[in-house]
């Protein structure tokens, strides 16, 4: 089908991807250039194919940018991230098979019209405007990671990098899903203070510039440690900070990594074994999870009004790429209006 794009989210990491990705991660190809980038498009269904059902022209939609073969066991069992062809349209792929997907779906979201499969579309409720909906990629990534933790009732959660785009998303979604206490870790105190105000009785904050995160978490949990941790640190963040926060987990702790920090961690496998630590990665989210997330927003279970859009017109896209650090950390959503 064809979607008329109304806005597209600007990934804070896009500048790194364009400038450095093929050097940093040569096994993960970019779309062949010239290419149309843009990861989080929203818009209106303009035209549907003969085989399309349940979607009609005029529907307001978010387009999940992930593409996969659709026919393998992972795809047909609802785990497209495990498909050998899994690819981010308008961003990067995960192996050389992604080049075949780019031939079929060459469009990212920085364009007026784009082709998209029906299985990628998430209908938007009337109470979610297009600008807010461009944040669904990061919110969906956070939501999928939080779901992997299991039940949050009566549980404690470390969020490492809590004031960034992913970190704020994890905070919002974990609060909505019932976490009891959050240990929010970042560097800057002003944004940590702002984050704590989202739920003052449930969020405690700590700057990792002030000492060991692990020691602080243990001091707040009678030396037991936290039940869960989600790491949201970015590509060039310190692995020492990751490792320190990780040791704030208690026995049986579960860690989910979604930030993309690269490098050798130096993981003590004996510590992991003795403490029954569960460590997993989580990449993006399924369209089904996008539907769940949007339904939470529709009915008020998840309040995204604290996220403030910062938009550029389409003809200022270069300024947008260079301006994604000009807002208030994860409280700002960057996008291009089209």
């Amino acid at each position: 089908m064809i979607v008329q794009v109304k806005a597209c989210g600007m990934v804070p990491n896009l500048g790194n991807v364009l400038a450095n990705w093929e050097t940093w991660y040569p096994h993960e190809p970019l779309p062949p250039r010239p290419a149309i980038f843009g990861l989080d498009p929203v818009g209106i269904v303009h035209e549907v194919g003969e085989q399309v059902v349940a979607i009609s022209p005029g529907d307001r939609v978010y387009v999940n940018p992930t593409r996969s073969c659709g026919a393998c066991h992972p795809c047909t069992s609802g785990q497209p991230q495990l498909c050998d062809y899994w690819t981010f349209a308008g961003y990067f792929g995960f192996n050389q098979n992604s080049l075949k997907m780019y031939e079929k779906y060459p469009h990212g979201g920085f364009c007026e019209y784009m082709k998209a499969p029906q299985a990628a579309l998430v209908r938007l409720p009337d109470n979610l405007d297009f600008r807010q909906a461009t944040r669904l990629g990061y919110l969906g990534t956070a939501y999928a990671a939080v779901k992997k933790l299991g039940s949050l009732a009566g549980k404690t959660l470390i969020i490492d990098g809590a004031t960034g785009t992913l970190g704020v998303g994890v905070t919002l979604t974990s609060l909505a899903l019932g976490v009891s206490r959050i240990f929010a870790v970042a560097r800057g105190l002003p944004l940590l203070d702002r984050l704590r105000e989202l739920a003052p009785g449930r969020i405690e904050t700590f700057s990792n510039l002030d000492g060991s995160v692990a020691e602080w978490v243990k001091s707040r949990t009678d030396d037991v440690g936290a039940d869960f941790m989600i790491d949201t640190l970015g590509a060039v963040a310190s692995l020492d900070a990751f490792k320190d926060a990780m040791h704030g987990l208690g026995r049986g702790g579960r860690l989910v990594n979604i930030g993309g920090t690269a490098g050798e961690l130096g993981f003590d496998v004996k510590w992991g074994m003795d403490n029954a630590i569960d460590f997993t990665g989580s990449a993006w989210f399924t369209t089904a999870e996008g539907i769940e997330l949007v339904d939470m927003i529709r009915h008020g279970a998840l309040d995204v009004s604290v996220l403030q859009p910062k938009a550029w017109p389409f003809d200022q896209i270069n300024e947008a790429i260079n301006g994604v650090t000009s807002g208030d950390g994860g409280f700002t959503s960057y996008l291009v209006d089209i």
Side-chain angles (χ1 to χ4, degrees):
M1 64 185 61
I2 304 298
V3 174
Q4 182 183 9
V5 181
K6 292 297 186 180
C8 185
M10 175 62 67
V11 182
N13 196 42
L14 182 58
N16 272 332
V17 169
L18 295 174
N20 302 308
W21 204 256
E22 290 168 311
T23 300
W24 290 353
Y25 310 114
H27 62 289
E28 295 186 340
L30 299 187
R33 267 81 74 208
I36 298 173
F37 284 83
L39 192 61
D40 283 303
V42 296
I44 298 171
V45 175
H46 179 71
E47 182 179 331
V48 300
E50 293 181 359
Q51 304 301 317
V52 172
V53 297
I55 296 287
S56 303
D59 285 348
R60 302 171 69 251
V61 295
Y62 167 81
V63 183
N64 191 328
T66 60
R67 306 286 179 264
S68 59
C69 78
C72 66
H73 188 274
C75 283
T76 55
S77 60
Q79 297 179 295
Q81 292 96 329
L82 304 183
C83 174
D84 286 337
Y85 289 85
W86 194 60
T87 301
F88 282 132
Y91 202 34
F92 64 86
F94 289 87
N95 59 51
Q96 292 303 306
N97 288 333
S98 292
L99 296 175
K100 297 180 181 179
M101 300 306 294
Y102 286 130
E103 292 176 5
K104 299 180 180 298
Y105 294 100
H107 303 139
F110 294 138
C111 58
E112 295 178 289
Y113 293 88
M114 66 179 296
K115 183 169 67 171
Q118 179 178 352
L121 300 191
V122 177
R123 279 203 191 90
L124 300 178
D126 291 338
N127 64 341
L128 182 60
D129 66 35
F130 284 134
R131 287 187 168 189
Q132 293 282 21
T134 63
R135 185 66 177 260
L136 285 176
Y138 278 99
L139 287 172
T141 299
Y143 174 64
V146 172
K147 283 181 63 179
K148 287 178 174 64
L149 299 176
S151 173
L152 298 182
K155 301 297 184 181
T156 54
L157 169 64
I158 302 168
I159 305 176
D160 196 21
T163 58
T165 310
L166 283 171
V168 172
V170 171
T171 302
L172 292 173
T173 54
S174 60
L175 287 171
L177 292 175
V179 72
S180 292
R181 295 171 71 194
I182 290 173
F183 300 117
V185 178
R187 287 176 296 179
L189 291 175
L191 286 178
L192 281 170
D193 291 342
R194 184 170 174 180
L195 194 74
R196 184 174 53 245
E197 290 306 308
L198 296 176
R202 297 165 68 189
I203 298 175
E204 299 182 46
T205 59
F206 182 76
S207 170
N208 56 16
L209 298 178
D210 292 336
S212 167
V213 173
E215 292 178 3
W216 173 71
V217 172
K218 292 291 183 68
S219 74
R220 305 302 299 159
T221 57
D222 296 324
D223 208 36
V224 171
D227 298 296
F228 304 128
M229 171 177 159
I230 296 181
D231 194 275
T232 72
L233 296 177
V236 296
S238 167
L239 283 171
D240 290 336
F242 184 118
K243 188 174 181 179
D244 173 40
M246 177 178 71
H247 282 86
L249 285 169
R251 293 184 58 78
R254 181 172 300 166
L255 190 162
V256 180
N257 178 32
I258 59 174
T261 304
E264 299 290 335
L265 182 61
F267 182 78
D268 183 346
V269 294
K270 185 67 164 59
W271 171 80
M273 181 191 76
D274 289 347
N275 290 280
I277 300 297
D278 184 1
F279 187 169
T280 188
S282 182
W284 209 247
F285 61 101
T286 65
T287 301
E289 288 169 330
I291 293 170
E292 295 166 8
L293 186 67
V294 162
D295 206 52
M296 292 170 66
I297 296 171
R298 181 200 310 271
H299 296 291
L302 178 62
D303 181 8
V304 297
S305 64
V306 297
L307 306 176
Q308 299 301 310
K310 182 177 178 63
W312 287 263
F314 193 25
D315 60 2
Q316 294 180 16
I317 192 166
N318 288 331
E319 289 87 343
I321 293 173
N322 294 319
V324 293
T325 60
S326 58
D328 293 324
F331 289 96
T332 302
S333 299
Y334 305 98
L335 66 129
V336 171
D337 282 323
I338 300 173

